[in-house]
Amino acid sequence: QVQLVESGGGLVQAGGSLRLSCVASGRTFRTYGLGWFRQAPGKEREFVAAISWNGVPTYYADSVKGRFTISRDNTKNLLYLQMNSLQPEDTAVYYCAADTKRSWGSSEGSAYDYWGQGTQVTISS
């Protein structure tokens, strides 16, 4: 079992920054891939970023490439998402996810077997 808890969401103005965190407990954190997904109101969940067990490689959705950075600290069981140049279209609930079956991160939500409860990110124009 893996428990994931996100934090760091909030309300910021367009152009601002936020850093999301996700702390994991349970199975050995350093062995599996991790990802961030988001879901905006009325839309389907979408992939944001993924990271492999040792931090490389990383993958990003085209919509966030160059603005968001995913990273992990295996000594603290923490996953991060640094979000810069935020825009109103980034408004969503952001979820972290763990794929304990693989050591790399995937862009497919169906690959992940554990999910956090989500944290709200709201960007005002």
Side-chain angles (χ1 to χ4, degrees), residues 42-124:
K43 295 188 177 181
E44 294 196 354
R45 182 182 64 196
E46 65 173 357
F47 168 73
V48 175
I51 189 167
S52 298
W53 69 278
N54 63 349
V56 288
T58 56
Y59 307 96
Y60 296 93
D62 288 343
S63 59
V64 306
K65 203 170 292 184
R67 300 188 299 125
F68 290 12
T69 302
I70 188 172
S71 62
R72 65 190 294 166
D73 185 341
N74 287 345
T75 67
K76 299 180 180 178
N77 285 16
L78 281 167
L79 173 70
Y80 301 104
L81 185 68
Q82 178 66 44
M83 305 186 295
N84 299 328
S85 302
L86 285 161
Q87 299 301 316
E89 52 266 35
D90 294 317
T91 295
V93 177
Y94 284 70
Y95 300 90
C96 65
D99 178 1
T100 62
K101 303 177 301 300
R102 300 174 182 85
S103 60
W104 64 89
S106 171
S107 62
E108 297 294 329
S110 59
Y112 294 86
D113 43 359
Y114 295 97
W115 294 81
Q117 85 289 348
T119 186
Q120 177 70 47
V121 171
T122 304
I123 313 302
S124 63

Side-chain angles (χ1 to χ4, degrees), residues 22 28 119:
C22 174
T28 308
T119 186

